[in-house]
Amino acid sequence: MTENTQQQTAPTTELPTQYAPAEVEGPLYERWVERGYFEADAKSEKPPYTIVIPPPNVTGSLHLGHAFEHTLIDALTRRKRMQGFETLWQPGMDHAGIATQNVVERELAKEGKSRHDLGREAFVERVWQWKAESGGQISGQMKRLGDGVAWSRERFTMDEGLSQAVQTIFKKLYDDELIYRAERIINWCPRCLTAISDIEVEYQDDDGELVSIRYGEGDDSLVVATTRAETMLGDTAVAVHPDDERYKHLVGKQIKLPLTDRTIPVVADTHVDPEFGTGAVKVTPAHDPNDFEIGQRHNLPNLAVMDERAVITVHGPFQGLDRLEARSAIVAALRAEGRIVAEKRPYVHSVGHCSRCKTTIEPRLSMQWWVKVGPLAKAAGDAVRDGKVKIHPQEMEKRYFDWVDNLHDWCISRQLWWGHRIPVWYGPNGEVVCVGPDEQPPTGEGWHQDTDVLDTWFSSGLWPFSTLGWPERTESLAKFYPNSVLVTGYDILFFWVARMMMFGLYAMDGTPPFHTIALHGMVRDQNGKKMSKSFGNVVNPLDWMDEYGSDAVRFTLANGANPGVDVPIGEDWVKASRNFANKIWNATRFALMNGATIEGELPPVEQLSATDRWILSRLNATVAQVDAYYEDYQFAKLSDALYHFAWDEVFDWYVELSKTTFFAGGEQAKVSGRVLGEVLDVMLRLLHPIVPFVTEALWTTLTGGESLVIADWPKDSGFRDPAAEAEIENLQQVVTEVRRFRADQGLQPGQKVPARLELGGTALAAHEAAIRQLLRLQPEGEGFSATASLPVAGATVALDLSGTIDVAAERKRLAKDLAAAEKEKAQANGKLGNEAFLAKAPDNVVDKIRTRLAKADEDIARIQTQLANLPQA
């Protein structure tokens, strides 16, 4: 009833009594790699399906965020491979300029050395040595997770091919006047001693101080406020709004800058908000981006007052002080001169920090290299607007447009030694020469290369095509570009995605780097809190893999993956997923022991029982549902659908309903065994992309097939049997309702109870034996007395509970529970009816009381039903 074209042989191995992930996963993965299942052939005539790995930092190790993202990508690529696509999951790592240089510098510091002691060439060689010995541990961890990547194609953003790609695109951008060098304000990290881009700055609320300072004297004075008093030493003007009547008499005049022997002009600029503060702002062009723009408009000098380590370099009393030391010293000096008008401390405000080392960044005027992003960003925006690239979920498009439509020019130079060195040479007479990969750099006295390296995101922005051999027009590039989909977190939509879009469209003649951008959320702890070392809630996924198996970790992550939404995860959920893997194992083992097989064709429909037709109908519906969810990147929904189909419908219902048939033997048992084999075969294929290890071990045993990795993906045959589905749904209602009643009466699950089943002419009559087996119901026998009668789904189940429970004691217990529930209801109603209480109580308290009231109502209704169903004393 499902389409299945792959040929299998009969199973030849038996399953161990228990599933042991540690014994299964490693050998299976090694076999997959040895047989080349994950490799991609550029010469293949199969349709391509390409995904690049978001390259993890070479300094990194597998964290839950990686495990989450890799699980989703692996699921997509495994399914597409089974569907007959030539599938490439491109692996590799990022050289991570700042992070890697910091790691190696810390190692040197332990030896009492700095990179300057080694010199540039020796230091870079030391970094390569570190990479060879310690970098890239994440590759082994990816194998533990089951990542089906094409290992033979693994790339590194500093390898020879990618270095050629970087130099090629730099030269092309330079020649097209889209790269330039200019002195502008940048974000500077005094710890890493390099410029960082806007997106590498993390903002957080810090306790600071707001100081109001009087500049000038008498009527020619005004007050400015600042949180960075140390920068006043570099002020070259005070700005006011041109329409502000309070200051019109000062515009154009010179006023005395406190603590210095300089005077500075008062300028009129529309950037100033006359309604904010005093309406006057200090202008420090060399240390503030907005002030720099004001300075440009008014031809103000740029006076830098700090060096690269944020140490004051001017004005004797403060020279040599760190910026924070200088801040308090300058405020004290101003206070002594009577210049402090007001002080607010603490003053909570948003402050930028280096995303790598968390040091407070310093806006600083610096000569840097820039990408003119205007035309590149427009193309990146238009590709989404025109439908060439789809963003999923669609509501994330607004965030994308808000970013690319307002991009500032990108500072791409970094004052590091580890990275792609800028391919520009300077001559003795001011010459500037950009050198392409096939060109010889100029030589001779006075010529030298730029000392800066490129921003890490510059090379990773080329990742979708540089990994395929660009700028050479390789077979791989022709086959696998553009990527089918990019799966990545919404948090790097700006860092990485926008850069790849700009570079891909530019370098590949207007062809975007991928058809779809599928964005996922961040992994959080089970309470929804961000995972952080400072919070003590960071989890090493390898620990969970050791304890519960990689499949359990993968299923837990996929089961929480709603598009663009953060994913909470806790150990209890991983335990539940481990239990699911065990359930799949144990149920399949039971099925194999009881005749489940894939040998021969499925019997014709007329030979199938209603139970058989029901499960095959549900199987095909599940195939269709899972396919639809995959196409919409709804991993949580497809995982949930598979979980409930496997556990609820196959194991808890079909296997249980079929037990009587299996135990009876005969032809019908053979039919059901073949149906059960079909169901398991298809179910394991459907589950494989999410939980590859346990399904591989079971499927190869069941079918004798070579590997699920290269097996066919199931197809919906279209078979549906609404009548059989309705029949089994009625049976399920009967069983569920009687089980609930038994539990309410305190009966043990295995306790047998005499019962009369009044099934009439309904289709349920054919299932009486199964119903009695599932519900532990004995035949009526002599002296049967129907003390409880349950009408459900057109049938009636009459039970004789005499002698099975102490009716008087049960009535007494239930009456006590009913009184407690009614008291709870009265208390809740009393509070909710008290207007004074409602006016003062917080919303969350009121919500809790409403929840208590609803629970009390449910309890009362349930207990009253239980009392009504009790036998008469």
Side-chain angles (χ1 to χ4, degrees):
M1 303 299 166
T2 56
E3 191 170 324
N4 182 356
T5 59
Q6 182 163 328
Q7 296 296 314
Q8 287 93 20
T9 59
T12 57
T13 2
E14 292 186 358
L15 290 171
T17 55
Q18 290 184 323
Y19 178 50
E23 297 174 13
V24 170
E25 293 174 352
L28 276 185
Y29 190 86
E30 287 179 14
R31 188 188 315 156
W32 292 336
V33 173
E34 286 170 3
R35 294 181 178 179
Y37 292 155
F38 304 138
E39 296 303 323
D41 182 4
K43 298 180 184 297
S44 168
E45 294 183 2
K46 295 178 182 178
Y49 186 81
T50 315
I51 297 181
V52 293
I53 194 172
N57 287 355
V58 68
T59 58
S61 60
L62 191 75
H63 56 63
L64 268 179
H66 289 128
F68 173 53
E69 186 167 79
H70 291 198
T71 294
L72 305 188
I73 299 175
D74 198 41
L76 290 173
T77 52
R78 284 179 182 270
R79 172 174 174 262
K80 285 296 182 181
R81 191 178 292 110
M82 294 172 75
Q83 287 182 315
F85 286 78
E86 192 62 34
T87 303
L88 169 60
W89 182 8
Q90 173 67 53
M93 285 180 290
D94 194 294
H95 66 278
I98 296 176
T100 306
Q101 180 156 319
N102 282 346
V103 167
V104 178
E105 286 197 82
R106 283 196 294 270
E107 293 297 314
L108 284 174
K110 294 176 184 176
E111 303 170 15
K113 297 178 181 177
S114 74
R115 60 180 164 123
H116 300 284
D117 294 324
L118 272 66
R120 183 171 193 140
E121 187 175 334
F123 176 77
V124 170
E125 181 59 35
R126 178 70 176 260
V127 180
W128 279 108
Q129 180 185 335
W130 174 88
K131 177 194 179 286
E133 295 173 356
S134 307
Q137 61 174 312
I138 202 167
S139 297
Q141 296 165 344
M142 287 166 58
K143 294 173 182 177
R144 283 286 312 280
L145 187 65
D147 286 2
V149 300
W151 287 111
S152 69
R153 292 173 173 266
E154 187 173 14
R155 303 304 297 270
F156 180 54
T157 53
M158 284 280 286
D159 68 26
E160 185 177 350
L162 270 66
S163 295
Q164 183 183 30
V166 167
Q167 197 171 351
T168 299
I169 201 162
F170 187 99
K171 171 71 171 174
K172 181 174 169 58
L173 288 163
Y174 182 87
D175 290 346
D176 288 345
E177 298 183 349
L178 292 173
I179 280 185
Y180 63 94
R181 191 170 185 243
E183 189 176 47
R184 293 169 59 176
I185 293 286
I186 46 89
N187 302 299
W188 182 265
C189 176
R191 159 63 184 79
C192 297
L193 299 180
T194 182
I196 59 176
S197 65
D198 292 343
I199 54 178
E200 292 171 301
V201 179
E202 294 179 349
Y203 287 91
Q204 66 185 48
D205 288 340
D206 285 357
D207 286 346
E209 61 181 358
L210 181 67
V211 181
S212 297
I213 309 167
R214 180 170 52 85
Y215 285 19
E217 305 294 341
D219 293 338
D220 291 346
S221 68
L222 36 67
V223 175
V224 300
T226 181
T227 57
R228 300 161 66 217
E230 69 278 8
T231 63
M232 67 156 294
L233 300 176
D235 286 357
T236 56
V238 172
V240 298
H241 194 276
D243 298 331
D244 195 331
E245 295 293 336
R246 293 171 295 176
Y247 304 119
K248 278 197 171 183
H249 69 289
L250 289 176
V251 174
K253 287 188 175 182
Q254 296 281 327
I255 60 172
K256 180 75 166 42
L257 180 65
L259 304 183
T260 72
D261 56 2
R262 294 192 292 117
T263 60
I264 57 176
V266 178
V267 300
D269 195 281
T270 54
H271 171 77
V272 180
D273 181 2
E275 302 298 323
F276 183 77
T278 63
V281 297
K282 59 190 289 298
V283 182
T284 320
H287 293 280
D288 183 275
N290 293 322
D291 292 3
F292 178 78
E293 297 297 331
I294 294 174
Q296 293 290 292
R297 288 193 287 272
H298 297 278
N299 296 315
L300 299 175
N302 301 316
L303 180 58
V305 297
M306 279 179 257
D307 67 11
E308 59 183 9
R309 298 182 185 277
V311 172
I312 302 298
T313 58
V314 299
H315 200 67
F318 312 109
Q319 194 168 356
L321 295 180
D322 172 79
R323 55 182 166 168
L324 299 180
E325 296 172 329
R327 183 176 300 172
S328 56
I330 287 171
V331 170
L334 290 167
R335 191 184 298 113
E337 289 192 4
R339 293 283 176 179
I340 300 296
V341 175
E343 295 179 71
K344 186 174 183 181
R345 197 181 287 110
Y347 177 72
V348 179
H349 62 132
S350 182
V351 177
H353 297 259
C354 173
S355 62
R356 297 294 179 190
C357 69
K358 312 308 176 187
T359 301
T360 301
I361 62 102
E362 190 65 43
R364 184 171 188 251
L365 187 64
S366 181
M367 182 68 75
Q368 302 286 343
W369 285 95
W370 305 81
V371 171
K372 189 184 295 182
V373 300
L376 303 175
K378 182 181 184 304
D382 290 346
V384 175
R385 289 189 174 93
D386 297 344
K388 291 181 181 177
V389 178
K390 298 186 184 303
I391 293 180
H392 186 86
Q394 191 173 1
E395 54 265 28
M396 286 286 181
E397 281 187 3
K398 182 179 184 304
R399 295 182 66 174
Y400 177 78
F401 291 135
D402 285 347
W403 181 255
V404 298
D405 292 347
N406 298 285
L407 267 180
H408 296 120
D409 284 359
W410 173 19
C411 177
I412 56 172
S413 46
R414 299 291 180 267
Q415 289 63 56
L416 304 170
W417 287 356
W418 173 244
H420 294 282
R421 195 163 174 183
I422 289 175
V424 171
W425 271 255
Y426 304 105
N429 299 310
E431 301 96 333
V432 179
V433 176
C434 180
V435 177
D438 300 321
E439 300 170 352
Q440 289 297 320
T443 58
E445 187 176 347
W447 283 94
H448 64 280
Q449 187 178 358
D450 196 299
T451 57
D452 289 350
V453 301
L454 287 163
D455 177 12
T456 295
W457 298 102
F458 191 94
S459 51
S460 60
L462 313 180
W463 193 246
F465 51 93
S466 64
T467 51
L468 298 173
W470 187 91
E472 301 298 323
R473 296 290 170 172
T474 63
E475 285 185 317
S476 290
L477 188 65
K479 178 73 173 180
F480 296 113
Y481 186 92
N483 286 198
S484 306
V485 62
L486 173 74
V487 179
T488 192
Y490 64 72
D491 57 316
I492 57 172
L493 181 62
F494 317 131
F495 282 88
W496 190 43
V497 179
R499 271 106 171 100
M500 287 190 291
M501 285 286 283
M502 290 191 296
F503 281 167
L505 289 160
Y506 174 74
M508 297 299 294
D509 303 319
T511 302
F514 18 73
H515 298 301
T516 301
I517 301 168
L519 298 171
H520 59 72
M522 309 281 286
V523 177
R524 296 181 177 270
D525 72 12
Q526 61 190 19
N527 300 311
K529 194 172 184 179
K530 180 179 178 181
M531 287 192 174
S532 167
K533 290 180 181 177
S534 60
F535 296 152
N537 61 353
V538 172
V539 173
N540 182 348
L542 296 174
D543 293 340
W544 281 353
M545 287 186 225
D546 290 341
E547 182 73 19
Y548 307 110
S550 297
D551 283 334
V553 174
R554 289 171 62 113
F555 189 82
T556 305
L557 291 164
N559 202 33
N562 290 298
V565 179
D566 288 347
V567 183
I569 184 172
E571 188 168 5
D572 287 345
W573 303 339
V574 183
K575 289 180 183 177
S577 296
R578 184 269 317 272
N579 295 343
F580 180 47
N582 288 341
K583 181 76 171 180
I584 298 171
W585 182 273
N586 293 334
T588 303
R589 183 173 180 273
F590 170 85
L592 287 169
M593 292 168 61
N594 286 275
T597 180
I598 64 159
E599 291 187 55
E601 296 294 324
L602 270 176
V605 174
E606 56 269 19
Q607 292 183 20
L608 303 179
S609 68
T611 308
D612 294 334
R613 298 196 308 277
W614 162 73
I615 196 62
L616 290 173
S617 182
R618 291 297 308 130
L619 176 68
N620 278 281
T622 301
V623 171
Q625 187 178 44
V626 167
D627 275 335
Y629 286 146
Y630 262 115
E631 295 306 314
D632 199 34
Y633 305 100
Q634 297 281 357
F635 295 97
K637 290 182 179 179
L638 72 89
S639 299
D640 189 65
L642 286 169
Y643 176 90
H644 288 293
F645 175 72
W647 194 306
D648 299 346
E649 296 185 295
V650 178
F651 303 146
D652 280 359
W653 286 107
Y654 183 72
V655 169
E656 292 299 320
L657 288 170
S658 300
K659 280 182 178 178
T660 52
T661 304
F662 290 139
F663 295 159
E667 285 303 312
Q668 193 56 50
K670 292 180 180 178
V671 169
S672 292
R674 179 63 185 88
V675 170
L676 180 53
E678 181 77 7
V679 170
L680 291 174
D681 176 16
V682 174
M683 182 196 75
L684 292 170
R685 293 170 193 252
L686 292 174
L687 281 164
H688 176 72
I690 304 293
V691 285
F693 294 109
V694 67
T695 51
E696 175 85 340
L698 293 172
W699 185 85
T700 51
T701 301
L702 170 70
T703 68
E706 181 182 343
S707 174
L708 263 178
V709 180
I710 55 171
D712 293 334
W713 181 254
K715 293 181 181 178
D716 173 17
S717 70
F719 175 77
R720 301 290 190 279
D721 193 327
E725 291 198 34
E727 183 175 325
I728 301 304
E729 283 174 11
N730 286 338
L731 182 153
Q732 291 171 328
Q733 286 183 40
V734 170
V735 173
T736 301
E737 183 61 25
V738 175
R739 280 177 173 168
R740 186 198 61 77
F741 176 77
R742 287 176 56 113
D744 286 345
Q745 303 309 315
L747 296 176
Q748 296 300 315
Q751 188 172 351
K752 295 184 177 181
V753 178
R756 180 172 64 244
L757 273 60
E758 299 173 2
L759 304 177
T762 68
L764 289 174
H767 302 283
E768 179 169 352
I771 292 172
R772 286 188 177 276
Q773 173 67 25
L774 291 170
L775 292 172
R776 305 294 189 269
L777 301 180
Q778 293 178 318
E780 300 172 47
E782 284 188 37
F784 176 83
S785 175
T787 57
S789 183
L790 301 175
V792 56
T796 301
V797 179
L799 303 171
D800 183 356
L801 300 179
S802 56
T804 60
I805 59 173
D806 185 335
V807 176
E810 186 66 11
R811 282 190 179 280
K812 185 175 181 181
R813 182 185 71 79
L814 289 172
K816 182 178 179 182
D817 290 348
L818 180 62
E822 288 174 338
K823 180 179 180 181
E824 175 74 2
K825 178 177 179 178
Q827 290 176 341
N829 274 328
K831 289 185 177 180
L832 294 174
N834 186 334
E835 294 295 334
F837 171 79
L838 293 176
K840 294 179 181 179
D843 290 345
N844 65 319
V845 173
V846 175
D847 288 342
K848 285 182 180 178
I849 295 172
R850 290 194 176 114
T851 301
R852 283 169 48 197
L853 176 60
K855 176 68 166 52
D857 282 333
E858 290 177 6
D859 289 344
I860 290 169
R862 175 179 54 79
I863 296 168
Q864 288 174 338
T865 300
Q866 289 177 246
L867 283 166
N869 285 326
L870 276 175
Q872 298 301 311

